[in-house]
Amino acid sequence: MNAQQLRNSILQQAIEGRLVPQDPNDEPASVLLERIREEKRRLVKEGKLKKKDLEEVPISEDEKTFEIPESWEWVRFFSVFQLETNLVSPKMYLDYPHIAPDIIEKGTGRLLDYRTVKDNKVISNNHLFYKGQIVYSKIRPLLRKAVIAPFDGLCSADMYPLSTHLSIDYALYYLFSDTFNRQVSDICSSRIKMPKINQNELSSVIVPLPPLAEQHRIVAKIEELMPKVEEYGKAQDALDKLNEELPEKLKKSILQEAIEGRLVPQDPNDEPASVLLDKIRKEKAQLVKEGKLKKKDLEEVPISEDEIPFEIPESWEWCRVSDIMNVVMGQSPDGNDVYEAVEDNDAYEFHQGKICFGKRFITPSGKWCKCPSRIADSESLLVCVRAPIGDVNITQRAIGIGRGLAAVKGFGNISTDYLFYLITAHKRNLVDKGTGSTFKAITVEVLKSQPIPLPPLAEQKRIVAKIEELFAEIDKLK
């Protein structure tokens, strides 16, 4: 049960006579009701009410949705509430506070920041209300927007100023109750676009009327409980936030364990990462001979002790991204060179910035933007190099990439899945190195120079299998 449900439950118990005990010494509600009738008859004589306001429509047994204590009475809405319609021109009330539904908090009776009639540039006639009346929103009434006016002011025509013969606080809590709002919901159920309740419809709503002394006890009990409900709500919100964040935090923790060599045990029979690095160096040297890499791609910058953030197993090696991965930065084609493909043909998808797979694009010549080197091959990593820096995905097919992306592919049969998790684990490091005022970005040098831990090939596969096993269990938590 969340805080709102608990609040609703308390209010429902209150208006059913179950929140506080009845006192046999209380003057029963029937006596209060008779006094109200006498007061209304007097107001009719004085011309302040119309004769029809004395009419009372009997309440059938079918309308009563629950039992009430013997000292209570069932009454119609306008037996105990009075609608004070008093439309006035705003010109005479420019400095008055102005209330509209959007500045009343849902279901709490709290008034948010308000402005004057002049500040709100009110031009149409509005209702004049007085301090101590209830201002109730008749539009979208299920939002439960009502407030006890703390001052005289004007309210929009979408609101009713209400006076009541009840305890004003009890009356407000009744308007927030499920019983009242279920009746309103039944009345407004056919108005899908803009539910609204009118004066005649309100007259059919029934109200459980307690003795006046019990109304005050009910209000006192509600006001004692509501701060505790708010505390519960804050605790529940904190727990909900924790539950929402926990899966991602667990995943981050697992990835950190993985790249530190603590997720799976090492196997002394594994070929060490140093041997893998030597094989990669030979592979890169051959690619230089074939003209597929440049000579500078063979250069390796030593990693200093200051750059190493944690210890790794003996069979692992520290290296840089450029030592074990080929990095191709995207390049955006001229806008005239690309259009949406009608058919697949030899078209490539084009992506820039956020990684999302979708439509295919081609150039008028049928060739990709005259820059075929800006293609991410199948089973490459796409890494965002500008906001959102560090987001990563794996391609399932060849894709053209723009300036916001880099295509990364490992040498030496390195597991693409392991590299995916490795770069994901390093996202925070990449984000911290972003520069720029309009949006953050990293250069190719930053990406290539990132120090990373390299496990043996066999252990990479064990790490990936364990990560995917654990992630599947975490996803069940959602």
Side-chain angles (χ1 to χ4, degrees), residues 155-327:
C155 65
S156 72
D158 289 330
M159 311 196 76
Y160 287 138
L162 296 172
S163 296
T164 182
H165 300 278
L166 308 176
S167 153
I168 191 70
D169 296 301
Y170 176 80
L172 184 67
Y173 288 132
Y174 165 72
L175 294 178
F176 293 149
S177 72
D178 286 342
T179 289
F180 174 71
N181 284 281
R182 272 195 294 267
Q183 294 179 78
V184 170
S185 176
D186 291 341
I187 292 168
C188 299
S189 60
S190 61
R191 299 164 198 163
I192 298 172
K193 275 194 173 180
M194 188 56 70
K196 184 186 294 188
I197 189 162
N198 61 42
Q199 183 174 350
N200 290 334
E201 291 166 338
L202 267 178
S203 67
S204 67
V205 172
I206 61 173
V207 181
L209 177 64
L212 192 56
E214 188 170 346
Q215 292 177 35
H216 294 310
R217 291 199 301 276
I218 288 170
V219 169
K221 190 64 177 179
I222 290 173
E223 292 180 351
E224 175 193 333
L225 294 173
M226 285 309 171
K228 294 181 174 65
V229 173
E230 288 198 16
E231 288 177 18
Y232 169 79
K234 289 175 183 176
Q236 184 69 48
D237 289 344
L239 181 60
D240 290 343
K241 185 179 180 183
L242 178 62
N243 287 335
E244 184 180 335
E245 294 174 349
L246 184 60
E248 289 310 310
K249 286 184 176 179
L250 283 174
K251 286 184 177 181
K252 285 180 182 178
S253 178
I254 288 167
L255 291 181
Q256 193 61 35
E257 295 271 310
I259 67 169
E260 291 184 18
R262 295 186 289 117
L263 188 64
V264 298
Q266 281 71 53
D267 186 338
N269 296 314
D270 288 345
E271 182 180 79
S274 57
V275 176
L276 173 60
L277 275 176
D278 285 338
K279 290 179 179 178
I280 288 172
R281 291 182 184 112
K282 291 175 184 176
E283 179 185 342
K284 290 170 73 176
Q286 181 60 36
L287 290 171
V288 168
K289 285 182 182 179
E290 296 172 3
K292 296 176 181 177
L293 287 181
K294 296 179 180 178
K295 211 165 188 179
K296 67 176 183 177
D297 293 323
L298 299 178
E299 297 172 4
E300 294 182 6
V301 179
I303 297 171
S304 68
E305 289 295 323
D306 292 341
E307 292 180 277
I308 297 175
F310 48 80
E311 294 292 325
I312 55 174
E314 287 187 14
S315 58
W316 291 38
E317 292 289 332
W318 278 104
C319 57
R320 299 191 187 274
V321 166
S322 58
D323 294 338
I324 63 168
M325 302 181 221
N326 186 37
V327 180

Side-chain angles (χ1 to χ4, degrees), residues 129-152:
F129 64 82
Y130 298 101
K131 181 178 179 179
Q133 290 183 323
I134 292 176
V135 182
Y136 169 72
S137 177
K138 66 180 179 181
I139 195 166
R140 299 181 70 193
L142 295 185
L143 293 181
R144 307 185 190 204
K145 292 197 170 191
V147 65
I148 298 172
F151 41 62
D152 297 349

Side-chain angles (χ1 to χ4, degrees), residues 80-120:
V80 290
F81 286 94
Q82 189 170 321
L83 185 61
E84 307 287 356
T85 53
N86 189 6
L87 285 171
V88 296
S89 169
K91 293 178 183 178
M92 303 298 293
Y93 301 90
L94 294 178
D95 294 327
Y96 272 47
H98 185 253
I99 294 181
D102 60 348
I103 66 165
I104 300 175
E105 193 173 70
K106 293 185 287 186
T108 67
R110 293 194 187 103
L111 190 63
L112 307 177
D113 290 340
Y114 60 88
R115 304 196 299 172
T116 65
V117 171
K118 181 180 179 180
D119 291 336
N120 280 347

